[in-house]
């Protein structure tokens, strides 16, 4: 086994020796961890260890002692199945564990943690999980997502730089590095994101493509024969073969293509799909270690020189860069106190004082206003108070009403990276992934499209929820209310699908003031993403001197209007609440007591205590009608086993809205009929 004593600076020859030692340590840790867990992926860590090591040791500006250093370069392992590559880097470079926002002296990933790879409650899960393992910048595993996230991170870096750097004071200039695989390259989301990254000339972005020509089913010849280099030239990327060619290249993102050998060193499995996953087996492991010149019977071996080598490289460089940055920050704080205060707030994820002081209140209005229109007004009011609120739409801003106007206007382009209106292009999936990347880089980021197209970005929404990143999406045209565009554009099952995602808050406000209150909640979320479902068509603005205040939105559901001792409860969301109100008024005129519950958010309602929930939906009132222009799935939870559920059981149709409402039963008469049937059925 090679062994190099380390005193001060090493010679080139010594460095080569110690580098190899580090690389083989990374490889064997991966092999041993997979062997021990009896599952996992060592093949790509074995093949890519030299590249990952070189990137971290020589290029990445990262301080292992302070993994939250705001201007650190971001490293994304988009090929998340190769998680052991990241875990060994975190371990060997001595990245510290963060607790309550502060770096401790404990390791983020200890050797014992690597031995507990894929075990219950370990910090070394199968795929890297943001928030769970400190030092993991973003959750990866669903291929392509990390690539998409990285574009958002690079956008965030440039936005922060443009907005807050001052002459002589570079607070932000971090680069974003990605290791991605054949699978990443095949995924549409990565292609969408690459296309936008090239268009935006993100020269702080570097993807390292591990072109090992092997995926799970075999050689990439089976399904992937395009010329990736040419494709990326087409996207306006700089395509090269060496890491040092990234930093010197301006005006384009960089793709570095690496021809690695999956399972490098495994005599029978290397360069085949058999090396992608699963333990190599005792005999193959022995032979592989022999090939590396490694002790064959030792497991989880980390020669002491290895940690020293990392400390001497990334450790020493990172500490110096971080220290220099702190000095810059100090003088920035004295010379630019206003900006400094803003930056402090951003980094802590806090909102400015009085952020909600000017949120609009909407006067009662029978003719009404579409909730998407109200949303545009609220967003613009927020934008004036929260400068780092930034987002855009997938080519639908005139429809989603998400454009910032006036003082907050300005497009985010290659030439103006500090703009706040992002044109994602018709790329919903990339939008989802990019927004997540911006979200983990401090920005209050959002995307927007039609609710029906949220399906195109579902994997990214799911990851936002899994990561606990407080981004949000503005989904408009939220029902058959879309009208003439027809069933392709009319969402049915989307609300149910979004509600099924853990740690995601879905809000479907009933009128303009519920929109304001929805944003008030969304902006205060710290570890939960949210989706708004908004109407295309005008909805009456309820007279809040007659009906309950819209602040009830915060509790997910609230009694909007009531009669003493109600016999039937009418529960609605969004555009259907007005039908419940109209039915209630008719019943009242007939002397029948009913209650209207506006229920903009199931998730928020479920967070309330039992007393509150029972006060809104008293368990002894079984006569219930729920009304929502969406799939009925799940509504029995609130309707009860014998309640009436008015919803969509088929796709919609292309027609004027008024005809659709009759055809699908969203009329006051139909709600009334259902209420009467319920009253009859549940007669005391
Ligand atoms: C979206 C998505 N689809 C499928 C998978 C399952 N999967 C894991 S790795 C992989 C492909 C492996 O090939 P490659 O990306 O080249 O990685 P390598 O085997 O070279 O490490 C697949 C299909 C996944 N993780 N994500
Ligand atoms: Mg591959």
């Amino acid at each position: 086994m090679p062994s190099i004593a380390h005193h001060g600076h090493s010679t080139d020859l010594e460095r080569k020796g110690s580098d190899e030692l580090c690389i083989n340590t990374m490889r064997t840790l991966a092999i041993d961890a997979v062997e021990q867990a009896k599952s996992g992926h060592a093949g790509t860590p074995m093949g890519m260890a030299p590249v990952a090591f070189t990137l971290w040791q020589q290029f990445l500006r990262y301080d292992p002692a302070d993994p939250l250093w705001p201007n650190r370069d971001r490293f994304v392992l988009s090929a998340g199945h190769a998680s052991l590559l990241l875990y060994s880097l975190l371990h060997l470079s001595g990245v510290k564990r963060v607790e309550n926002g502060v770096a401790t002296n404990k390791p983020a990933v200890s050797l014992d943690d690597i031995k507990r790879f894929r075990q219950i409650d370990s910090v070394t899960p199968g795929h890297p999980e943001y928030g769970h393992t400190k030092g993991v910048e973003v959750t990866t595993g669903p291929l392509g997502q990390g690539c998409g996230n990285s574009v958002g991170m690079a956008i965030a870096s440039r936005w922060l730089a443009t907005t807050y750097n001052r002459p002589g004071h570079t607070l932000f200039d971090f680069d974003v590095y990605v290791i991605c695989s054949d699978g990443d390259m095949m995924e549409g989301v990565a292609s969408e994101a690459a296309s936008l990254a090239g268009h935006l000339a993100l020269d702080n972005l570097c993807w390292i493509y591990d072109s090992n020509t092997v995926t799970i089913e075999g050689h990439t010849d089976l399904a992937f024969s395009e010329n990736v280099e040419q494709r990326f030239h087409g996207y306006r990327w700089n395509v090269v073969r060496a890491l040092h060619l990234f930093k010197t290249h301006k005006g384009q993102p960089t793709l570095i293509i690496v021809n690695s050998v999956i399972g490098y060193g495994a005599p029978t499995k290397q360069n085949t799909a058999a090396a992608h996953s699963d333990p190599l087996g005792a005999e193959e492991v022995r032979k592989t270690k022999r090939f590396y010149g490694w002790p064959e019977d030792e497991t989880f071996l980390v020669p002491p020189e290895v940690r020293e080598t990392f400390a001497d490289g990334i450790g020493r460089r990172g500490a110096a860069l971080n220290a220099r940055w702190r000095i810059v920050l100090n003088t920035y704080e004295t010379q630019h106190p206003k900006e400094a205060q803003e930056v402090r707030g951003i980094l802590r994820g806090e909102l400015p004082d009085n952020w909600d002081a000017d949120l609009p209140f909407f006067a009662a209005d029978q003719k009404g206003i579409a909730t998407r229109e109200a949303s545009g007004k609220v967003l613009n009011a927020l934008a004036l108070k929260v400068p780092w609120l930034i987002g855009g739409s997938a080519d639908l801003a005139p429809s989603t009403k998400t454009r910032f106007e006036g003082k907050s206007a300005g497009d985010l382009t290659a030439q103006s990276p500090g703009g706040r209106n992002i044109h994602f292009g018709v790329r919903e999936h990339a939008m989802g992934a990019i927004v997540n990347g911006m979200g983990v880089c401090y920005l209050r980021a959002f995307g927007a499209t039609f609710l029906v197209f949220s399906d195109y970005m579902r994997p990214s929404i799911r990851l936002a929820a899994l990561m606990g990143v407080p981004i949000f999406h503005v989904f408009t045209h939220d029902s058959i209310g879309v009208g003439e565009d027809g069933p392709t554009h009319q969402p049915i099952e989307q609300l149910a699908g979004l509600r099924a995602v853990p740690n995601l808050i879905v809000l479907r406000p009933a009128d303009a003031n519920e929109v304001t209150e929805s944003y008030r909640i969304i902006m205060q979320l710290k570890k939960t993403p949210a989706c708004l479902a908004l109407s295309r068509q005008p909805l009456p603005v309820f007279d809040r001197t007659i009906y309950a205040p819209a602040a009830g939105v915060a509790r997910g559901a609230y009694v909007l209007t009531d009669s003493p001792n109600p016999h039937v409860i009418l529960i609605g969301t969004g555009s259907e609440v007005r039908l419940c109100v109209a039915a209630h008024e008719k019943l009242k005129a007939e002397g029948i007591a009913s209650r209207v519950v506006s229920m903009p958010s199931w998730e928020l309602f479920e967070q309330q205590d039992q007393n509150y929930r029972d006060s809104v939906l008293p368990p002894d009132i079984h006569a219930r009608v729920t009304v929502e222009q969406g799939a009925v799935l799940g509504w029995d939870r609130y309707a009860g086993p014998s309640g009436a559920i008015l919803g969509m059981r088929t796709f919609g149709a292309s027609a004027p809205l008024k005809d659709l409402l009759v055809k699908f039963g969203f009329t006051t008469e139909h709600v009334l009929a259902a209420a009467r049937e319920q009253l009859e059925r549940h007669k005391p």
Side-chain angles (χ1 to χ4, degrees):
M1 182 180 96
S3 169
I4 283 109
H6 241 282
H7 300 290
H9 288 285
S10 49
T11 65
D12 276 359
L13 206 67
E14 280 175 329
R15 195 168 100 178
K16 190 168 179 305
S18 61
D19 287 1
E20 209 170 299
L21 200 63
C22 294
I23 290 163
N24 286 332
T25 303
M26 291 171 65
R27 287 173 167 147
T28 50
L29 282 179
I31 291 170
D32 292 338
V34 171
E35 219 58 28
Q36 177 128 324
K38 301 192 182 71
S39 76
H41 307 74
T44 289
M46 290 159 75
M48 284 297 280
V51 175
F53 170 73
T54 306
L55 171 64
W56 276 54
Q57 182 72 342
Q58 292 183 35
F59 294 91
L60 201 71
R61 295 176 298 171
Y62 187 93
D63 181 2
D66 182 13
L68 294 184
W69 172 31
N71 198 36
R72 68 190 182 278
D73 287 346
R74 269 41 176 199
F75 172 73
V76 176
L77 182 66
S78 193
H81 59 276
S83 57
L84 280 163
L85 196 60
L86 180 52
Y87 298 150
S88 68
L89 286 167
L90 292 173
H91 173 63
L92 297 173
S93 61
V95 173
K96 296 298 182 217
R97 188 188 177 86
V98 173
E99 283 169 11
N100 305 319
V102 196
T104 66
N105 227 349
K106 293 176 245 174
V109 175
S110 68
L111 194 57
D112 277 339
D113 292 328
I114 291 182
K115 291 178 186 170
R116 298 201 58 240
F117 179 53
R118 292 179 162 239
Q119 303 310 302
I120 191 93
D121 294 334
S122 79
V123 295
T124 49
H127 297 83
E129 293 177 30
Y130 173 82
H132 181 74
T133 309
K134 306 305 165 188
V136 170
E137 304 284 11
V138 76
T139 297
T140 53
L143 290 165
Q145 292 293 332
C147 291
N149 300 149
S150 73
V151 175
M153 293 167 150
I155 288 173
S157 176
R158 292 182 85 190
W159 189 89
L160 291 164
T162 310
T163 310
Y164 296 112
N165 288 355
R166 293 292 177 270
H169 288 110
T170 300
L171 285 193
F172 298 103
D173 66 348
F174 62 84
D175 294 318
V176 184
Y177 293 93
V178 178
I179 287 183
C180 51
S181 61
D182 299 304
D184 283 301
M185 284 294 142
M186 291 187 220
E187 288 290 355
V189 63
S191 306
E192 291 178 15
S195 166
L196 186 60
H199 175 78
L200 291 176
L202 296 174
D203 55 15
N204 56 350
L205 180 64
C206 178
W207 290 5
I208 301 166
Y209 165 33
D210 173 25
S211 175
N212 62 19
T213 69
V214 167
T215 64
I216 289 180
E217 293 187 1
H219 196 274
T220 45
D221 282 353
L222 290 170
F224 194 54
S225 46
E226 72 205 29
N227 185 324
V228 172
E229 180 167 349
Q230 279 179 16
R231 176 154 72 95
F232 274 70
H233 278 307
Y235 291 149
R236 312 170 70 158
W237 283 54
N238 168 45
V239 186
V240 294
R241 295 265 167 186
L243 265 170
H244 71 274
L245 297 175
F246 160 57
K247 282 296 281 184
T248 52
H249 190 87
K250 295 293 160 215
Q252 288 179 303
T254 289
L255 179 74
I256 298 172
I257 302 178
V258 177
N259 297 112
S260 85
V261 175
I262 193 168
Y264 176 79
T268 70
K269 295 192 171 171
Q270 69 176 347
N271 214 7
T272 73
H276 165 79
S277 65
D278 301 329
L280 291 173
E283 191 48 32
E284 187 94 352
V285 170
R286 217 185 312 277
K287 287 179 179 159
T288 307
K289 287 184 177 172
R290 193 179 307 158
F291 175 81
Y292 296 152
W294 210 251
E296 289 173 32
D297 295 321
E298 291 221 42
T299 55
F300 299 103
L301 174 66
V302 181
E305 302 93 312
V306 168
R307 291 196 183 89
E308 286 170 27
T309 304
F310 273 94
D312 228 27
I314 183 172
R316 195 195 285 240
R317 191 180 62 255
L321 288 167
N322 189 356
R324 217 178 304 156
W325 185 85
R326 303 264 158 207
I327 293 167
V328 172
L329 180 65
N330 273 337
T331 58
Y332 185 89
E333 283 182 333
T334 50
Q335 292 178 26
H336 307 285
K338 190 184 148 285
E339 290 87 342
Q341 192 188 348
E342 211 167 287
V343 169
R344 259 198 308 273
I346 293 178
L347 298 182
R348 290 200 200 114
E350 287 166 0
L351 290 164
D353 290 342
N354 294 323
W355 64 273
D356 61 348
D358 297 333
L359 289 183
F361 175 80
F362 297 86
D365 177 359
Q366 260 313 303
K367 228 175 75 233
I369 167 172
T371 49
R372 63 174 168 148
E373 291 279 359
S375 163
K377 293 193 163 57
V378 181
L379 259 180
N380 269 281
L382 280 168
L384 293 174
K385 297 280 186 185
V386 187
W388 55 99
L389 176 63
I390 151 173
S393 177
D395 199 42
L396 284 170
S399 298
T400 55
K401 309 291 177 194
T402 40
R403 192 173 170 78
F404 293 138
E405 307 289 355
K407 227 177 106 183
S408 323
D411 293 334
L412 187 145
T413 65
Q415 292 73 36
S416 58
R420 293 172 66 184
N421 287 300
I422 304 183
H423 298 276
F424 289 102
V426 192
R427 303 184 184 96
E428 292 82 8
H429 198 174
M431 174 169 72
I434 289 170
V435 162
N436 290 351
M438 294 194 292
V440 296
C441 289
Y442 312 116
L443 302 182
R444 291 311 303 254
F446 67 91
T449 183
F450 292 163
L451 179 59
V452 76
F453 301 136
S454 64
D455 283 347
Y456 272 55
M457 48 195 295
R458 225 178 130 68
S460 303
I461 296 172
R462 179 173 199 274
L463 280 167
L466 175 58
M467 288 193 279
V469 182
I471 56 88
F472 63 94
H473 292 293
V474 180
F475 294 134
T476 65
H477 298 60
D478 70 346
S479 69
I480 56 167
V482 165
E484 291 84 345
D485 274 345
T488 55
H489 285 49
Q490 293 164 344
I492 301 293
E493 72 282 18
Q494 283 65 26
L495 281 171
L498 291 170
R499 285 176 183 142
V501 180
N503 193 40
L504 177 70
I505 291 187
V506 183
L507 290 140
R508 188 166 186 253
D511 76 345
N513 287 308
E514 282 199 6
V515 172
T516 297
E517 295 311 311
S518 296
Y519 274 105
R520 202 190 303 278
I521 292 150
I522 289 172
M523 292 303 291
Q524 294 179 80
L525 295 172
K526 292 212 159 189
K527 297 204 160 175
T528 310
C531 293
L532 276 164
L534 303 173
S535 74
R536 182 195 73 119
Q537 71 278 26
L539 304 179
V541 181
F542 297 119
D543 183 346
R544 299 286 171 170
T545 61
I546 301 173
Y547 301 119
V553 171
R555 314 203 76 169
Y558 63 104
V559 179
L560 182 64
T561 183
D562 209 5
S563 296
N565 299 318
H567 293 301
V568 58
I569 309 177
L570 312 173
I571 308 165
T573 79
S575 46
E576 285 66 74
V577 173
R578 72 194 164 89
L579 298 179
C580 297
V581 168
H584 164 84
E585 299 297 347
K586 284 230 158 112
L587 289 170
K588 195 156 104 183
E590 294 172 19
I592 301 169
S594 69
R595 161 177 292 189
V596 176
V597 171
S598 176
M599 191 176 230
S601 173
W602 285 16
E603 298 79 16
L604 292 175
F605 186 61
E606 294 301 327
Q607 288 172 12
Q608 307 307 311
D609 60 31
Q610 190 73 45
N611 276 346
Y612 178 77
R613 284 184 281 149
D614 288 351
S615 75
V616 175
L617 302 175
D620 59 338
I621 305 181
H622 299 291
R624 298 180 180 195
V625 181
T626 69
V627 199
E628 182 175 74
Q629 287 180 10
V632 295
L633 185 73
W635 271 109
D636 47 342
R637 179 192 297 185
Y638 303 113
S642 54
I645 301 172
L646 308 189
M648 293 295 294
R649 290 173 164 84
T650 64
F651 290 109
S654 168
L657 176 56
K658 62 177 187 358
D659 300 329
L660 289 171
L661 295 180
V662 173
K663 180 177 168 78
F664 293 105
F666 296 100
T667 59
T668 307
E669 293 67 41
H670 195 211
V671 176
L672 260 180
R676 290 192 214 286
E677 181 272 334
Q678 282 289 303
L679 286 163
E680 186 63 28
R681 179 193 286 225
H682 297 285
K683 239 200 288 209

